[in-house]
Amino acid sequence: MDFETGYQMTIGGRGVDGAGRIDVVNPATAEVFAQAPDCSRAQLDEAVAAAQAAFPAWKAMPIEERQALIRKCGEALMGHTEALARLFTREQGRPTDAAKQEIQGGAAWLMAFSQMTPPVHLEETDTRWIETRYVPLGVVCAISPWNFPVMLSMWKVAAALAAGNTMVLKPSPFTPLCVLKVGEIFRQILPPGVLNVVTGGDELGVWMTSHPGFAKISFTGSTATGKKVMEAAAKDLKRVTLELGGNDAAIVMPDVDLDEIAQKIFFGAFFNTAQICVATKRLYVHEDVYEGLRDRLVGIAKAIKVGDGAEQGTVLGPIQNKRQYERVLELLEDAKASGLTLLQGADVPDGGYFIPVTIVDNPPEDSRVVQEEAFGPILPMLRFRDVDEVIARANASEYGLAGAVWSKDVQAGIDIARRMETGTIWVNQNLELTPGTPFAGHKQSGFGVENGMEGLLEFMVPQVVNVAR
Ligand code: NAD
């Protein structure tokens, strides 16, 4: 299979060119290196019709057969790891080794969901027999972002298809290529119409969320767009799952071993150039260990290579797209203009969307770098003394996605974790997500659940058969 050219949509099991084309930019060079199809409204209608036509047979297929096909998709994705990872680096920016983990992660999700079977409940009395089982919804509209384009798309594909739904999937216009290639790979395995992949600009997302042919929208992206998606869904009461933004706090207690945790905390904040929904975005550090951790983090920032992810030795790549780059630069300018102390890492190359790793030294709690989700390599480090006070500060956010606690006293860590108002809290680790564990944003970080049995059941509805005896 050719990964350098031939980027086509998948509609009804066929490769289809767009009505037009959109440019795809390599963020390490800021140059256009490929084009992706621009889906027309009529082509979207075709994709929805293909998914609707495929639904009855896919739903009726014995679950073991569906699971076997999903497993085959996982194996095929794994088999194309190298080629996809190289393409991933060019369109997304992340260094190739880390890109491989994303492809393998996507495959792992498919494998895991190919083993999940929804429960059936039986209730029997002398007078009746009640069966509650779960049935799929129909055609799912899946929309994914540019920071983890393959992995987050696979979260949706794995669960929705395992549940017996069919799908039209739209990746971000900034990162369409790998997902188009995944569509091409799966085209050889799945019945036509079960998974359709379309690409285009943001307006394609608007057409999709208002399209009457979908039964459910599964969306991952910003909170601002998530609200528009929910509004669009209300018109015909489409089911929605929204995985949205976050401003995750990490709390570092005074008993930690700084040498042991500094690297982990650094990459919990800056992996993927800090473009992670669940990255540490506010780092609260006890005053006893504040300077020690700050100096270690700045030391790591100065030692690592930031550059083109295709080059040997690069640890962090560019910001993924120009729009995000300008947003992060503006936030950095605001921090400078506000007189905050910025501690920066290694120099970055010219030409692409590069921003040096920046640690903001104890800014006021109400500064923009603390209050806003930067989604770029600017990390505010904040001093604290009292646990109750720091938990209150961590929780004073409209977001509630994830967070972390670092302490040698694991029970104390768990106690703090339970008081945090977020869907996931890690203790002495970071960024660990598994297909079997529910992932649910609290507050304005989301609506509904992905992953785990809860995530599978979000793509289904209960159906009760109640029989008189
Ligand atoms: P975004 O909201 O701009 O775009 C996400 C997707 O929605 C893209 O595919 C885009 O084309 C589409 N879209 C844009 N406008 C739309 C509209 N009006 N209707 C329907 N679709 C539309 O988000 P982004 O910039 O691609 O991603 C970054 C954001 O995603 C960050 O806030 C990050 O925290 C969040 N995110 C959340 C999770 C999570 O699981 N909670 C994971 C990754 C990223």
Side-chain angles (χ1 to χ4, degrees):
M1 216 175 114
D2 176 12
F3 286 81
E4 305 282 321
T5 56
Y7 303 111
Q8 287 189 308
M9 301 189 287
T10 296
I11 296 179
R14 288 181 305 113
V16 175
D17 291 324
R21 284 163 181 274
I22 55 171
D23 288 338
V24 185
V25 172
N26 179 341
T29 60
E31 282 166 11
V32 175
F33 76 100
Q35 288 186 317
D38 193 4
C39 183
S40 69
R41 229 176 166 132
Q43 288 177 314
L44 172 63
D45 287 341
E46 279 170 36
V48 176
Q52 283 174 326
F55 177 60
W58 185 247
K59 175 185 175 182
M61 185 184 278
I63 188 161
E64 301 77 25
E65 286 177 35
R66 272 204 317 258
Q67 289 172 333
L69 289 174
I70 293 168
R71 199 152 43 243
K72 268 194 178 170
C73 289
E75 287 161 2
L77 187 57
M78 194 70 106
H80 288 97
T81 299
E82 299 287 331
L84 276 170
R86 277 194 299 277
L87 177 61
F88 189 101
T89 298
R90 293 183 80 190
E91 73 168 336
Q92 204 278 342
R94 191 183 315 155
T96 310
D97 278 347
K100 281 182 204 162
Q101 292 167 15
E102 166 142 359
I103 312 300
Q104 290 160 348
W109 249 257
L110 289 157
M111 303 307 265
F113 274 91
S114 76
Q115 291 169 21
M116 270 189 225
T117 302
V120 178
H121 300 293
L122 287 180
E123 199 182 318
E124 283 181 81
T125 68
D126 293 344
T127 54
R128 59 184 163 258
W129 177 92
I130 307 176
E131 177 200 63
T132 306
R133 65 194 183 108
Y134 292 84
V135 295
L137 293 159
V139 182
V140 173
C141 159
I143 299 180
S144 60
W146 45 259
N147 61 333
F148 282 79
V150 174
M151 176 97 161
L152 295 176
S153 297
M154 290 310 104
W155 285 16
K156 300 181 188 314
V157 170
L161 268 52
N165 303 281
T166 58
M167 176 178 278
V168 180
L169 164 66
K170 185 193 91 64
S172 166
F174 296 116
T175 52
L177 301 181
C178 281
V179 177
L180 286 168
K181 284 293 164 189
V182 172
E184 189 179 333
I185 296 166
F186 291 4
R187 218 187 281 157
Q188 329 297 326
I189 300 167
L190 297 170
V194 168
L195 175 65
N196 305 275
V197 180
V198 295
T199 52
D202 287 347
E203 72 287 352
L204 177 58
V206 178
W207 299 342
M208 287 172 77
T209 53
S210 57
H211 198 295
F214 290 109
K216 171 170 179 114
I217 305 171
S218 177
F219 172 85
T220 302
S222 62
T223 296
T225 309
K227 289 178 184 175
K228 292 184 197 159
V229 170
M230 196 153 177
E231 231 179 289
K235 204 170 124 258
D236 40 15
L237 289 183
K238 293 184 183 79
R239 273 57 181 157
V240 283
T241 301
L242 306 174
E243 293 291 357
L244 308 176
N247 196 10
D248 294 0
I251 297 175
V252 182
M253 299 301 285
D255 61 350
V256 292
D257 178 340
L258 289 177
D259 289 324
E260 199 186 305
I261 67 164
Q263 286 269 348
K264 293 177 190 167
I265 289 186
F266 183 87
F267 288 104
F270 294 112
F271 179 68
N272 200 34
T273 315
Q275 303 163 113
I276 309 188
C277 53
V278 291
T280 294
K281 293 173 185 150
R282 296 175 288 153
L283 180 59
Y284 292 97
V285 185
H286 192 274
E287 59 182 10
D288 290 355
V289 288
Y290 182 91
E291 276 81 14
L293 183 58
R294 182 194 61 196
D295 297 347
R296 281 170 178 79
L297 295 180
V298 174
I300 299 168
K302 286 190 188 300
I304 57 162
K305 177 175 166 185
V306 180
D308 187 336
E311 284 172 16
Q312 250 339 329
T314 299
V315 176
L316 298 179
I319 295 288
Q320 198 281 322
N321 61 73
K322 187 160 183 251
R323 188 178 74 187
Q324 185 63 17
Y325 173 68
E326 286 169 353
R327 275 198 50 212
V328 179
L329 274 186
E330 193 273 323
L331 198 59
L332 203 56
E333 287 309 316
D334 176 81
K336 274 186 203 156
S338 310
L340 304 182
T341 306
L342 307 183
L343 308 170
Q344 290 197 314
D347 290 342
V348 297
D350 296 327
Y353 306 137
F354 293 103
I355 292 183
V357 170
T358 304
I359 290 163
V360 189
D361 193 5
N362 203 29
E365 194 73 28
D366 63 358
S367 52
R368 282 185 58 203
V369 279
V370 181
Q371 294 301 319
E372 293 180 22
E373 178 189 38
F375 224 61
I378 309 177
L379 177 68
M381 251 186 105
L382 303 126
R383 229 178 237 280
F384 79 88
R385 182 178 301 170
D386 177 70
V387 176
D388 291 337
E389 172 233 316
V390 79
I391 293 172
R393 286 162 76 188
N395 286 339
S397 172
E398 67 193 18
Y399 293 115
L401 196 56
V405 186
W406 298 85
S407 172
K408 269 199 179 142
D409 182 343
V410 174
Q411 190 54 51
I414 293 172
D415 291 344
I416 294 171
R418 288 186 173 142
R419 294 173 63 192
M420 287 169 79
E421 296 168 356
T422 63
T424 302
I425 308 102
W426 290 288
V427 178
N428 297 328
Q429 58 175 353
N430 246 323
L431 309 182
E432 291 294 331
L433 296 166
T434 77
T437 316
F439 180 63
H442 292 192
K443 303 187 198 172
Q444 294 193 30
S445 284
F447 192 91
V449 189
E450 280 197 296
N451 301 339
M453 186 55 75
E454 288 91 335
L456 182 71
L457 295 182
E458 287 242 337
F459 287 102
M460 310 187 88
V461 271
Q463 185 182 53
V464 175
V465 178
N466 193 333
V467 184
R469 271 187 162 161

